[in-house]
Amino acid sequence: MKKIKPFMVERNFLILMTGVFINGLGSGIYSVAGMLLVFNLSGSVLYSGFAFFAITSAGALSFLIAPLANYARYKNGLVYSNLIKAIILFTIPLVHYTIGLNVWYVIILLFITALFTQYTYPIESTILPIIVGKDNVVEANSYLQTIREAMDIAFIAGAGIIITFIGTIPAISITAVCLVLVTISYAFFNFQQPDISREKSHSIGSAVNFYFIDLRAGFNYIRNSLVPKMIFSIVFINIAMVIMTTNLPAFSLIKGNGIEATYGFYLASISLGIMIGTIISPKLRQINFGKLIIITFIGTGIMWIGASTLPLIASMILFCIGAISIGVLNILVFSSIQKQVETAYIGRVITVITSAAALGMPLGSLLGGVLGETLSPEIPVMICGISMIIFSVFWLCSSVLRKLPGIDRVNLFKNSEMA
C-alpha cells in the first residue's frame, strides 16, 4: 500500500484542496452558464465573441495584475477577492428578477470577475511552497493539477445537465454560493507568510516604483532566452483556439439539436483530452520536442477538421483526441520553465509568458464572433483545425524549432547572460 505523504494531511493543504474542489464545481458551472447566458440574451455569435473578448482581455492584463499579489497578505487577498467575486455574481439574478438583464451588463461582469481570477491564481501558486515545503512542491503541484483537470471534466459535463434543468440564472447563483464557501474555507488558513524583501514604502510614488521594478524583472529575465521565440507559436495557437471556442456554444446547439447540455459535454471532452495529454507527457520527455509538436499538432488539425463535419458523438470523440496535444505542450513547456528558471522568478516568468500568449486572444474572440455570425459556427471550428496544421508546417520549416531536442535537453537560456 502506497504511503500517504505527510503534506497531504497538513491542515493548510487540506484547506487549499477544499477550496480548489469547491472552486472547480463553481467555475465548471460558471464557464458553461456565463457563455450560454450571453448567447441566450443576444441570440448572436457576435456577442459571444464580445464576451470572450472581455474574458481574454483580462487574461492579457494578468502581467499587470499578478504583481499586486505581493502587496497584500496572501490570506486576505484570497478571502476578499473571492468574496467580491461572489457579490458580483449575486447581482446577476438580482438584476434579472428586478429590472431585467442586459447582455452588456453580463459581459462587463464577466470581465471584472476574470480580472479577480488573474489576481487570485498567482497567490494560490505562491502559497503552495509555503504550505508543503520546497521539497514537496513539485509532487503537490502535480497532484493538485491532476485533481483540478479531473474535476473540470466532471463538473463541466455536469454543468450542462444542471443548466438544462434549472436554467442559466440559477446556475450562476450556485457559482456565487460556491465562492462564498471558498471564502469561508480560506479564512481558516494559518500559514506564516514570509516577509517580502523590499524597503517599506511610505508613499504611493515609491509603491508604484517597486511595482514596476517587479514587472520589469520578469521581462528582463527571459529577454535573451529561447522563450520569446516560442511565444509567437503559443499566440498563434491561442488565436485559433479562441476563434473555435467563441463559436462553441452555437456549434454545440447545432450538433445537439438545441440541447444546452451538449455545450458542457464539448467542454468536458476538451478537458478530458488535455488531461490525457497531461498524464502521458512524462513518457514523452525524451522524444525530440520539435518533432513531437509537429506530429501531434498535425494530428490535432485533422481531428478538429473532422469534428466540424461529423455527427455529435464522433465529433466529441475527435475533439477529445485533438486536445491531447494541448495538454502535452502545456506540461512540457511548464516543466522546462520550472526546472531552469530560478525559484524567485518562476511566478513572474510564467505570468509574463501567459500574458504575452493571451495578447492575441481578444482579437481571436472578435474574429471568431464575426466569422460565426457571417458564415456558420462549423466554419470557425474547421478554420481552427486548419490553423493547427499551418502551425505544424511553420515549425517544420524552421530549422531551430524543428531540431529542438527532448524537453529535458532544451536549454532555454543558452544565449542569455544572467547576472
Side-chain angles (χ1 to χ4, degrees):
M1 185 175 177
K2 192 174 181 180
K3 186 178 179 181
I4 297 176
K5 298 290 184 180
F7 74 82
M8 294 178 65
V9 293
E10 200 274 332
R11 168 195 167 94
N12 290 301
F13 185 73
L14 291 175
I15 291 172
L16 181 60
M17 274 299 303
T18 302
V20 167
F21 182 86
I22 300 172
N23 241 331
L25 171 61
S27 62
I29 295 174
Y30 174 71
S31 62
V32 179
M35 293 306 301
L36 282 176
L37 179 59
V38 170
F39 185 70
N40 290 340
L41 286 173
S42 64
S44 170
V45 176
L46 183 61
Y47 281 88
S48 295
F50 291 146
F52 261 105
F53 176 83
I55 295 170
T56 53
S57 293
L61 294 173
S62 63
F63 75 98
L64 293 174
I65 300 169
L68 296 174
N70 290 329
Y71 296 87
R73 305 296 296 179
Y74 293 147
K75 175 181 173 178
N76 292 343
L78 289 172
V79 168
Y80 292 122
S81 57
N82 279 292
L83 180 60
I84 292 170
K85 284 167 67 176
I87 294 171
I88 290 172
L89 292 186
F90 273 127
T91 67
I92 291 180
L94 178 65
V95 172
H96 173 74
Y97 293 119
T98 53
I99 62 177
L101 274 177
N102 179 278
V103 66
W104 285 110
Y105 178 78
V106 175
I107 290 173
I108 291 170
L109 291 194
L110 289 176
F111 173 72
I112 295 173
T113 53
L115 285 177
F116 276 100
T117 300
Q118 303 309 317
Y119 176 75
T120 56
Y121 181 74
I123 296 179
E124 290 179 346
S125 300
T126 301
I127 67 172
L128 189 62
I130 301 173
I131 291 173
V132 304
K134 290 186 178 180
D135 292 340
N136 297 312
V137 70
V138 174
E139 189 170 5
N141 198 33
S142 176
Y143 180 78
L144 277 175
Q145 189 63 21
T146 302
I147 295 298
R148 273 195 184 106
E149 293 181 5
M151 289 190 304
D152 276 349
I153 297 166
F155 292 151
I156 289 175
I161 298 172
I162 291 171
I163 292 167
T164 299
F165 285 101
I166 69 174
T168 54
I169 301 296
I172 288 177
S173 300
I174 292 175
T175 301
V177 171
C178 287
L179 286 169
V180 172
L181 294 176
V182 171
T183 300
I184 295 171
S185 298
Y186 286 166
F188 288 97
F189 273 134
N190 65 352
F191 59 84
Q192 185 67 38
Q193 177 172 334
D195 292 330
I196 300 171
S197 58
R198 58 161 54 89
E199 297 176 14
K200 297 290 184 182
S201 59
H202 300 285
S203 68
I204 294 177
S206 58
V208 170
N209 183 51
F210 281 128
Y211 166 78
F212 281 105
I213 289 174
D214 280 353
L215 195 60
R216 285 195 301 270
F219 284 101
N220 291 335
Y221 192 88
I222 65 169
R223 184 177 56 189
N224 298 317
S225 72
L226 184 62
V227 175
K229 297 179 177 63
M230 301 179 72
I231 286 177
F232 171 78
S233 300
I234 299 173
V235 169
F236 183 84
I237 290 176
N238 282 350
I239 291 176
M241 287 284 292
V242 172
I243 288 174
M244 178 180 71
T245 49
T246 298
N247 288 272
L248 204 54
F251 176 82
S252 303
L253 291 175
I254 291 173
K255 293 288 185 181
N257 296 318
I259 299 175
E260 291 183 330
T262 309
Y263 178 46
F265 294 151
Y266 267 104
L267 290 177
S269 69
I270 294 175
S271 295
L272 177 60
I274 292 174
M275 189 181 75
I276 293 172
T278 300
I279 293 171
I280 67 172
S281 58
K283 301 184 181 299
L284 306 175
R285 300 176 76 93
Q286 301 304 317
I287 300 176
N288 284 1
F289 186 62
K291 293 178 181 177
L292 178 66
I293 295 302
I294 292 168
I295 294 171
T296 55
F297 276 86
I298 285 177
T300 295
I302 294 171
M303 295 295 171
W304 284 353
I305 290 172
S308 69
T309 59
L310 293 176
L312 177 62
I313 301 300
S315 176
M316 285 196 295
I317 292 173
L318 292 182
F319 253 105
C320 175
I321 297 173
I324 292 175
S325 63
I326 307 296
V328 171
L329 178 66
N330 286 345
I331 292 299
L332 292 186
V333 170
F334 184 74
S335 298
S336 180
I337 290 170
Q338 280 186 314
K339 289 182 67 174
Q340 297 187 41
V341 175
E342 295 175 27
T343 302
Y345 285 90
I346 289 177
R348 277 176 278 188
V349 170
I350 290 175
T351 299
V352 168
I353 292 171
T354 53
S355 297
L359 288 176
M361 294 173 72
L363 173 63
S365 303
L366 297 180
L367 185 57
V370 172
L371 288 172
E373 186 74 11
T374 306
L375 305 170
S376 69
E378 294 96 336
I379 300 301
V381 175
M382 185 178 293
I383 289 173
C384 180
I386 294 171
S387 299
M388 296 299 157
I389 296 176
I390 293 173
F391 165 76
S392 296
V393 172
F394 169 75
W395 272 58
L396 183 64
C397 295
S398 169
S399 60
V400 174
L401 297 175
R402 184 178 67 248
K403 295 178 182 178
L404 284 176
I407 197 67
D408 286 334
R409 304 190 304 276
V410 173
N411 190 344
L412 296 178
F413 299 95
K414 183 178 181 180
N415 299 318
S416 60
E417 297 176 9
M418 297 300 168

